[in-house]
Amino acid sequence: MTDPQPQPEPSVAEQRAALASTVDALHRKVDVPARAKAGARHELDRIRQQPRGAVAAELVSAFVVAYLAVRQRRRHSH
C-alpha cells in the first residue's frame, strides 16, 4: 500500500479567512446581550401577530426595558 498524498498547506490568505470566520462565529456566540435582544424582538413580533398580542407585547417590552435598566444600574454601581 502507498501512503496518501499529503494535502498542500492552505495559503496565508486562506488561513486568515478561516480564522476571521471562526472569530466572528465566536463573537456572535458570546454576545449575550445582542442575542437576548434579538430573542426578545422575535418573541414580541410573534406575540404581536396574535389578537391579544398587542397588550402582551407591551408588557413584555416593559419588562425587557426594566430588566435592562436594572442590570445596567447594577453594573455601574460596582
Side-chain angles (χ1 to χ4, degrees):
M1 280 198 188
T2 61
D3 290 331
Q5 293 290 336
Q7 296 295 322
E9 287 268 333
S11 71
V12 172
E14 291 171 332
Q15 290 176 359
R16 285 183 181 159
L19 181 60
S21 176
T22 301
V23 169
D24 288 343
L26 288 172
H27 177 62
R28 284 189 304 273
K29 190 168 193 133
V30 299
D31 192 2
V32 175
R35 289 173 53 201
K37 287 178 186 177
R41 269 189 241 112
H42 174 74
E43 285 300 312
L44 286 173
D45 291 341
R46 186 181 65 78
I47 291 170
R48 284 184 179 138
Q49 292 174 358
Q50 298 171 358
R52 295 183 203 138
V55 173
E58 293 300 322
L59 291 173
V60 171
S61 296
F63 174 76
V64 170
V65 168
Y67 170 76
L68 292 174
V70 168
R71 195 177 85 190
Q72 187 74 13
R73 183 173 282 189
R74 284 183 183 169
R75 187 179 292 170
H76 286 292
S77 68
H78 290 152

